[in-house]
Amino acid sequence: MRGVIVDSAIYRGGRRTKGPADLSDALDEARATGDAFLWVGLYEPTEEEFDLVTEEFTLHPLAVEDALKAHQRPKLEVYDDSLFLVLKPVVYEPESDRVSTDELMVFVGDSFVVTVRHGVSSPLAQVRRRLEAEPEVLRHGPTAVMYAISDAVVDHYIDVAAELQVDLEELETAVFAPDGTPQLGDAKSTAARIYTAKRQVLEFRRASTPLTAPVSRLAAGTVPFVHAEAQPFFRDVSDHLARANEQVEGLDRLLSDVLSAHLAQMGVRQNDDVRKISAWAAMAAVPTMVAGIYGMNFEHMPELRWWWAYPGVILLMTVAVLGLHRTFKRRGWL
């Protein structure tokens, strides 16, 4: 268990204290005083490694199964002896402009908090340090830990949404750039970037949107094991989550609009190309038609012996082509 347990400590009156190394003894000590709780942090435990924790904290088997398998939607489950909260921290990778998600499970019960994280990115270490520096918050017990973790995850949602907004502005600049028509390869690359951005926003929404209902339940104060005074704090988390969801929904709509505008631009450019080709074909058709008529073999061909016929025909073709060119140019086809 040493490699699985990232940190374990008893907090009494909001301050970290030394306690027994054995989880059972540490939990008994925390419950004995009434003003303390045990916080155990685990990292990707196996089923065998988690058995001891399950037994000592009397965790529900369904919640344990979810915590071990991961790949869960954000949710809040209420059991007889504990709460089970699933969060999905969002990670933005600036090198590749991609969004990925990890998983974070929080068990809260009588005088204990058990956190299980999957993935390399997690706010737990920062949350623990911040809470230990604010004992007046930490003295509210496991509820304070659940609030601080939720607040850290949701606040990072807003930061990631801001990064995605920057990416969107870059895409808008690429699509609506006034510096001429891009090459075909550039157009395909822009479309691929837009689709990739929509995939990143979808990944974001899968993490943030399902969290709305659990946070609303915590803010309503109807969930056991949650301190009654924590309602305003969870309402604040709910407000931040609503803002993050509004931002990501706005990003999704704007990306759809940018994609539609890009496809419309591609259609207009293709129409311009077709019109240009048609105009040049029309101008080439006039001399071809006249030359075709004079290329026929007639025994009694009109104007056959007119000495000015060929210069006149050439002049006629030139005038016709120039007239067509002027007409097409005036209409914007060339």
Side-chain angles (χ1 to χ4, degrees), residues 3 21 32 57 112 142 223 244 313 320:
F57 295 96
F112 73 84
V223 180
V313 169

Side-chain angles (χ1 to χ4, degrees), residues 23-315:
L23 292 180
S24 179
D25 295 339
L27 182 59
D28 291 340
E29 181 178 326
R31 286 174 172 171
T33 58
D35 63 343
F37 69 95
L38 174 64
W39 182 359
V40 180
L42 307 176
Y43 175 68
E44 295 185 356
T46 63
E47 183 175 355
E48 294 76 13
E49 292 169 335
F50 204 54
D51 282 343
L52 175 61
V53 178
T54 303
E55 180 181 354
E56 296 298 338
F57 295 96
T58 319
L59 304 180
H60 196 279
L62 293 178
V64 171
E65 181 181 359
D66 291 343
L68 291 174
K69 291 184 177 180
H71 303 294
Q72 304 295 317
R73 287 168 56 89
K75 62 180 180 178
L76 176 66
E77 299 288 350
V78 180
Y79 299 103
D80 293 336
D81 299 320
S82 62
L83 290 179
F84 178 60
L85 176 64
V86 179
L87 302 165
K88 294 182 77 70
V90 174
V91 181
Y92 178 81
E93 302 171 4
E95 296 81 6
S96 59
D97 294 336
R98 291 187 177 272
V99 171
S100 60
T101 56
D102 295 331
E103 294 199 35
L104 180 58
M105 288 78 170
V106 183
F107 293 88
V108 174
D110 180 19
S111 300
F112 73 84
V113 177
V114 176
T115 55
V116 181
R117 67 180 178 93
H118 295 264
V120 297
S121 177
S122 172
L124 288 178
Q126 295 87 339
V127 169
R128 191 185 285 263
R129 286 195 297 268
R130 179 165 64 86
L131 286 176
E132 289 179 353
E134 300 177 352
E136 67 280 1
V137 177
L138 195 56
R139 66 182 178 83
H140 289 92
T143 301
V145 176
M146 178 179 283
Y147 156 71
I149 294 173
S150 304
D151 185 59
V153 170
V154 171
D155 283 349
H156 193 59
Y157 285 169
I158 297 176
D159 295 337
V160 173
E163 296 286 351
L164 292 176
Q165 180 67 39
V166 174
D167 293 343
L168 173 61
E169 292 172 357
E170 293 177 355
L171 284 174
E172 288 177 332
T173 301
V175 171
F176 300 108
D179 54 350
T181 303
Q183 299 297 321
L184 180 60
D186 295 335
K188 289 183 177 180
S189 175
T190 301
R193 288 176 61 193
I194 296 173
Y195 276 113
T196 300
K198 285 186 69 67
R199 291 292 304 174
Q200 308 316 309
V201 171
L202 177 60
E203 186 73 14
F204 194 133
R205 295 184 69 174
R206 287 176 177 171
S208 64
T209 303
L211 188 59
T212 302
V215 172
S216 297
R217 291 175 61 189
L218 291 170
T222 59
V223 180
F225 304 106
V226 176
H227 202 283
E229 297 179 0
Q231 284 182 256
F233 298 96
F234 282 112
R235 281 200 296 267
D236 182 65
V237 175
S238 181
D239 291 341
H240 290 181
L241 180 60
R243 188 172 72 178
N245 285 332
E246 289 174 359
Q247 287 180 309
V248 73
E249 288 174 6
L251 289 171
D252 189 45
R253 288 195 299 269
L254 286 173
L255 282 170
S256 297
D257 293 341
V258 170
L259 179 59
S260 299
H262 178 66
L263 295 178
Q265 285 182 340
M266 292 298 298
V268 170
R269 289 164 187 158
Q270 289 176 352
N271 289 338
D272 289 341
D273 292 340
V274 170
R275 287 192 301 179
K276 291 178 181 179
I277 294 172
S278 301
W280 286 108
M283 289 187 290
V286 173
T288 301
M289 179 184 66
V290 176
I293 293 175
Y294 277 84
M296 296 180 182
N297 296 319
F298 291 106
E299 184 178 352
H300 303 287
M301 186 174 182
E303 304 103 15
L304 183 61
R305 299 183 184 278
W306 293 3
W307 65 270
W308 50 265
Y310 285 104
V313 169
I314 293 174
L315 177 61

